[in-house]
């Protein structure tokens, strides 16, 4: 099907437990589905839209669980599967918990910034992280504060300071005994604004191999 407006395949309230919605096109939003949806099975794949939600554009509410699959959908030529609008979240089904087959691609209207993740569900558990995948490689899904959030991918920062010298990267190993000093203090600083809970270091009397690290 092809729609000049919203909802290439389905528009309105949708309950889906099996089957497939595929190869539909919307010249606006929601290539596969536009509206409110409860989906605990079946797949929404290979749909396209010119606007957001190549697979699903949620109107006001959505509940997902079971073996639901929303993947391989596009906005133009870019992955855009389940579009979560501003101030909207997905509910994870209590009656039909996600199975290992559930796979949902996620795009949000509000893009996460470092230290400012965007909520994508209103509930969930750490086990649910594997079922939701960012459509963009610039972000990833994290379980935090009892919900799932989309987070901007950024490398942690680190610094080693001794005496008046500091290093944030190394071309080779640091050999402290070359300074011919009996003792000096070394300060290790590290930070990751989202996922790292603790920072630890390991003292070794020999250079570690890649396997040991």
């Amino acid at each position: 099907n092809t729609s000049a407006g919203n909802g290439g395949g389905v528009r309105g309230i949708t309950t889906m437990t099996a089957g497939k919605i595929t190869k539909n096109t919307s010249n606006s939003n929601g290539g596969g589905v536009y509206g409110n949806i409860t989906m605990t099975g079946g797949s929404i794949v290979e749909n396209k839209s010119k606007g957001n939600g190549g697979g699903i554009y949620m109107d006001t509410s959505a509940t997902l669980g079971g073996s639901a699959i929303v993947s391989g959908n596009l906005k133009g030529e870019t992955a855009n599967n389940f579009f979560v609008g501003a101030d909207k979240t997905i509910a994870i089904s209590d009656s039909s918990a996600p199975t290992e087959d559930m796979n949902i691609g996620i795009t949000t209207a509000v893009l996460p910034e470092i230290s400012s993740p965007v909520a994508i569900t209103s509930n969930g558990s750490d086990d649910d992280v594997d079922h939701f995948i960012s459509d963009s490689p610039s972000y990833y899904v994290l379980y935090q504060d009892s919900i799932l959030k989309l987070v901007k991918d950024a490398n942690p920062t680190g610094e080693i300071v001794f005496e008046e010298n500091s290093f944030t990267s190394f071309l080779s190993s640091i050999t402290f005994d070359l300074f011919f000093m009996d003792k000096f203090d070394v300060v290790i600083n590290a930070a990751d604004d989202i996922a790292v809970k603790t920072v630890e270091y390991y003292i070794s009397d020999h250079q570690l191999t890649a396997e040991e690290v």
Side-chain angles (χ1 to χ4, degrees):
N1 296 317
T2 298
S3 171
N6 295 321
V10 179
R11 180 173 179 175
I13 299 173
T14 304
T15 299
M16 187 172 183
T17 59
K20 181 184 288 188
I21 297 176
T22 187
K23 299 187 185 304
N24 300 287
T25 300
S26 167
N27 288 325
S28 188
N29 299 309
V33 174
Y34 180 96
N36 300 332
I37 185 168
T38 297
M39 184 180 183
T40 56
S43 61
I44 298 177
V45 296
E46 297 180 19
N47 300 282
K48 290 186 176 184
S49 64
K50 287 187 177 180
N52 285 304
I56 299 174
Y57 187 103
M58 176 178 65
D59 186 10
T60 58
S61 66
T63 299
L64 300 179
S67 57
I69 296 174
V70 185
S71 67
N73 302 284
L74 302 174
K75 173 186 177 180
E77 300 300 323
T78 303
N80 193 297
N81 286 286
F82 194 113
F83 182 76
V84 181
D87 300 321
K88 295 182 174 66
T89 54
I90 299 165
I92 297 177
S93 175
D94 293 324
S95 60
S96 183
T99 69
E100 62 180 12
D101 295 324
M102 181 169 158
N103 185 346
I104 311 295
I106 292 291
T107 295
T108 56
V110 178
L111 298 180
E113 296 293 340
I114 296 174
S115 300
S116 298
V118 174
I120 58 175
T121 69
S122 57
N123 61 331
S125 70
D126 195 30
D127 294 335
D128 297 325
V129 169
D130 293 337
H131 306 302
F132 291 83
I133 302 170
S134 172
D135 288 327
S136 168
S138 297
Y139 310 99
Y140 65 96
V141 176
L142 173 73
Y143 176 68
Q144 188 181 65
D145 303 326
S146 301
I147 62 174
L148 302 187
K149 299 179 180 181
L150 196 65
V151 179
K152 186 170 184 178
D153 195 7
N155 294 326
T157 59
E159 178 186 48
I160 293 179
V161 181
F162 61 92
E163 296 296 295
E164 297 178 354
N165 304 293
S166 64
F167 299 88
T168 56
S169 62
F170 307 99
L171 296 177
S172 59
S173 60
I174 301 175
T175 308
F176 293 110
D177 57 4
L178 292 182
F179 290 91
F180 302 105
M181 298 179 68
D182 293 332
K183 178 182 178 181
F184 54 85
D185 294 329
V186 175
V187 178
I188 298 176
N189 301 313
D192 183 295
D193 293 329
I194 299 297
V196 174
K197 295 181 180 179
T198 61
V199 176
E200 300 177 351
Y201 62 91
Y202 178 77
I203 298 176
S204 173
D205 59 0
H206 66 280
Q207 183 173 328
L208 302 179
T209 66
E211 290 74 16
E212 289 175 314
V213 172

